[in-house]
Amino acid sequence: MKKLSMDELDRVSIEDFKQQEKLPVIVLLDNVRSLHNVGSVFRTSDGFAIEQVILCGITGRPPHRDIEKTALGATQSVDWVYVEDTKAAIEQKQKKGYTIIAIEQASGSTYLHQFQPLADEKYVLIFGNEVNGVSDEVMPLVDACIEIPQFGTKHSFNVVISAGIVLWDFYRKIKLQ
């Protein structure tokens, strides 16, 4: 076994990435405070070729060196927008036919492995603040809530880990079925 070189990986250019078909998913970051987490979500979003990242509230936005440190250029490939009010961002996407899903531990949530996204639907996945999660005022606006099962002593995953787990699951269920 031999690691592939950068040339052997045959990565697409930013221009080609912008034109390729995207996973019908938008990631919305609701008051994510860590700039490194923001950058890592950009990088993960690039890896799964999602439609867009929406940054809301106190969430930092490019250009910023701490975001770029973990994004590694993904802020140039992934489309993004800043909307100060999370509720306004959600309402805008609801009007465009997106299903709004909070990634949160909540009454009535569905475990990730039990949720089946549909290839012909469009989704906004909301990831919340590192301490408080998805804002209480946002929860009544969501169409569904997905919870990642956990089996240890901690009550949550880091927001970046959650984004990676959920985006991989959506990609696998939509694109690889």
Side-chain angles (χ1 to χ4, degrees):
M1 186 130 348
K2 165 183 117 40
K3 282 179 33 178
L4 296 176
S5 70
M6 293 302 273
D7 289 337
E8 292 170 315
L9 290 174
D10 197 30
R11 299 289 185 204
V12 297
S13 67
I14 291 176
E15 296 77 27
D16 289 340
F17 179 87
K18 295 265 188 199
Q19 300 302 316
Q20 77 184 40
E21 182 181 344
K22 301 292 189 290
L23 187 67
V25 170
I26 291 173
V27 168
L28 187 151
L29 298 182
D30 177 29
N31 292 298
V32 172
R33 65 182 181 186
S34 165
L35 298 175
H36 293 130
N37 283 343
V38 173
S40 292
V41 168
F42 266 98
R43 188 169 170 190
T44 303
S45 297
D46 174 278
F48 291 113
I50 69 157
E51 286 182 16
Q52 183 182 47
V53 172
I54 301 175
L55 308 170
C56 296
I58 65 164
T59 306
R61 47 197 186 270
H64 194 285
R65 70 180 186 157
D66 288 339
I67 293 173
E68 293 305 325
K69 184 175 184 175
T70 52
L72 297 179
T75 57
Q76 283 78 49
S77 58
V78 176
D79 289 337
W80 66 274
V81 63
Y82 174 75
V83 179
E84 184 174 357
D85 182 23
T86 305
K87 289 171 63 175
I90 291 168
E91 290 165 355
Q92 178 189 55
K93 293 305 177 185
Q94 283 174 322
K95 289 177 185 172
K96 293 186 176 186
Y98 284 83
T99 299
I100 311 300
I101 301 174
I103 310 304
E104 187 59 83
Q105 298 163 327
S107 61
S109 63
T110 302
Y111 281 129
L112 179 60
H113 64 280
Q114 296 171 328
F115 184 84
Q116 182 57 54
L118 303 173
D120 60 346
E121 296 227 5
K122 304 178 294 186
Y123 299 94
V124 173
L125 302 178
I126 305 171
F127 296 90
N129 176 274
E130 293 88 342
V131 174
N132 301 313
V134 175
S135 305
D136 289 338
E137 56 271 7
V138 167
M139 290 301 289
L141 300 176
V142 305
D143 300 307
C145 185
I146 291 176
E147 183 174 339
I148 303 168
Q150 298 174 53
F151 310 101
T153 62
K154 301 303 170 198
H155 297 287
S156 66
F157 289 112
N158 173 279
V159 64
V160 176
I161 300 302
S162 294
I165 291 168
V166 174
L167 288 174
W168 164 245
D169 189 74
F170 268 64
Y171 187 89
R172 182 182 62 80
K173 289 174 177 173
I174 292 172
K175 296 287 191 177
L176 302 179
Q177 296 296 331

